Amino acid sequence: MSRPRAVVLVQSDEPDAERIADAVRAALRGEVKNGKTATEDGAPTEDGAPTDDGAPTDDGAAPGEGGRAPAIALPAEDEEADVAATGGGRPEPSLRDAEVAVALDAASLARAREAGVPRRVALLPFLDARWDGPLDADLVLVPHRALVDDVLELGVPRTKVRVAGPIAPAGFSPPGDRAALREAMEVRPEVPLVVVRGAALDRDDLAPALVQLSLVGRDAVWLFDVGRDPELATALRRHVPGYGLDASMFADGPEAPRAYRAADVVLGRLEGPEAIRAFAVGAAFASVPPRRHQLRLAHQLEVSGVMDVADAAATLSVTVDAALSSEGSEKLRAAAAELDAPGGAARAAKLVTDFVRGALDAAPATGLPRGLERLSEPSETRPTPKGDEAPDGDASIDEELAALREKLGL
């Protein structure tokens, strides 16, 4: 059976949304092998950063047999543009030919709906259920089960929601040797490396966060990710010196995948691309204090063991210290490894393929026990009297009534 004709749509200023879309496109084309896409398999990324071969060895190939109907890149708006894009020849398959559209944002989902694509899938790329428009998809894929409740509050029926798990952005994969990467980057390999997403800090007042980082008890190398924000880079140049941090910064480009893959800990926001990047490269993730609307999600994610969350700005150093500890780091990395972000694109592709074929299993009800769920340990239960030790229920009740009458003077 051939793969479905699928189009993956994204309209976002966040480069990782496009990188996640690229990973899903590759999986739908069947270009995933041993958990890696063709983009990651030793080839340069879109930024020109080469990758190594440290990805998991599990077979993450996308489902489907037979023909290779391609996943379609973001299509042109009209047929004339399609023809122009191919040098005046026959246009490539576009939105009008798709059996299913996978949209990573509300604008893309609306575009698929207006084009009359018969099946529409909404894919939430980050740990954030906000959706700027109607979430009227036939299937909604989320990166963690903790987001299911948030999606249900948007009015989506539970039968339409599936947990695909986090999807590693193209170019971000676990390193073979972190120490070797650090040496290549000319940073100290003997101490932990922490990547700090600069956008997660208060740019108008960087001092409180920098004070907290300076209070971290363990010696570390600090790499600030400024993304594509030159104003943030200027603010960090002005404020970071003087806090005693061994700090550098990098922008979105060739250094970004390398820096994250070398990191022991990533510090950032729940909803930012940094959380998914941390899961993808196998680094421990620590979150700055969540916003009010994120408190439930933050609690569920912390309880699940995939991250440490600072409960207030004044405890940020404590949270980072805990993530840097050998026990804390090992726990967080193990939880991240179980999420298997490198295999996320293949999982999403399988869910989309099964959905198109009508073979998607019914969504499980949330909150029900899996198998036999013990409510108490045997030592906590009251022993049952045996033989002559068993009290006579009627006699016991009569004695209590008599004592009560005597107390009341009856």
Side-chain angles (χ1 to χ4, degrees), residues 254-280:
E255 286 298 330
R258 189 163 26 182
Y260 276 86
R261 297 169 75 230
D264 294 289
V265 174
V266 173
L267 174 64
R269 290 203 176 277
L270 295 179
E271 74 276 16
E274 56 269 28
I276 303 299
R277 289 181 178 185
F279 298 153

Side-chain angles (χ1 to χ4, degrees), residues 121-124 138-145 147-148 151-152 156-165 347-348 350-352 354-355 359-365:
V121 177
L123 189 157
L124 276 58
D138 303 298
L139 179 67
V140 179
L141 304 181
V142 299
H144 195 277
R145 63 180 181 274
L147 284 165
V148 172
V151 171
L152 297 184
V156 180
R158 178 65 182 90
T159 55
K160 292 185 177 183
V161 184
R162 298 293 187 283
V163 179
R347 287 192 303 271
K350 184 178 189 309
L351 286 165
V352 171
D354 288 348
F355 165 63
L360 194 63
D361 293 335

Side-chain angles (χ1 to χ4, degrees), residues 128-356:
D128 187 3
R130 288 177 298 175
W131 193 263
D132 298 326
L135 192 51
D136 55 348
D138 303 298
L139 179 67
V140 179
L141 304 181
V142 299
H144 195 277
R145 63 180 181 274
L147 284 165
V148 172
D149 289 340
D150 290 342
V151 171
L152 297 184
E153 288 185 355
L154 297 177
V156 180
R158 178 65 182 90
T159 55
K160 292 185 177 183
V161 184
R162 298 293 187 283
V163 179
I167 299 173
F172 290 81
S173 60
D177 187 342
R178 280 188 170 84
L181 274 175
R182 293 174 192 171
E183 289 181 358
M185 296 170 63
E186 298 183 351
V187 298
R188 290 186 293 160
E190 72 276 6
V191 300
L193 188 153
V194 182
V195 167
V196 181
R197 181 73 170 179
L201 309 179
D202 183 358
R203 183 169 54 194
D204 296 330
D205 188 8
L206 290 170
L210 295 176
V211 167
Q212 285 295 307
L213 298 187
S214 69
L215 292 175
V216 170
R218 188 158 183 184
D219 187 18
V221 171
W222 304 87
L223 298 185
F224 289 86
D225 176 5
V226 300
R228 299 182 177 182
D229 189 342
E231 293 181 2
L232 176 60
T234 299
L236 289 172
R237 290 189 188 102
R238 182 182 304 121
H239 293 286
V240 170
Y243 283 90
L245 302 174
D246 181 358
S248 302
M249 67 178 175
F250 62 92
D252 197 54
E255 286 298 330
R258 189 163 26 182
Y260 276 86
R261 297 169 75 230
D264 294 289
V265 174
V266 173
L267 174 64
R269 290 203 176 277
L270 295 179
E271 74 276 16
E274 56 269 28
I276 303 299
R277 289 181 178 185
F279 298 153
V281 301
F285 183 70
S287 171
V288 300
R291 297 180 173 92
R292 183 179 298 276
H293 74 275
Q294 298 173 317
L295 291 176
R296 180 180 65 184
L297 174 63
H299 175 71
Q300 291 179 340
L301 290 168
E302 188 168 39
V303 168
S304 72
V306 300
M307 64 180 62
D308 283 339
V309 179
D311 56 7
T315 62
L316 187 58
S317 61
V318 177
T319 302
V320 176
D321 260 326
L324 283 172
S325 70
S326 56
E327 181 180 355
S329 180
E330 182 178 349
K331 177 195 70 174
L332 293 172
R333 286 185 188 175
E338 288 184 4
L339 293 177
D340 184 26
R347 287 192 303 271
K350 184 178 189 309
L351 286 165
V352 171
T353 301
D354 288 348
F355 165 63
V356 173

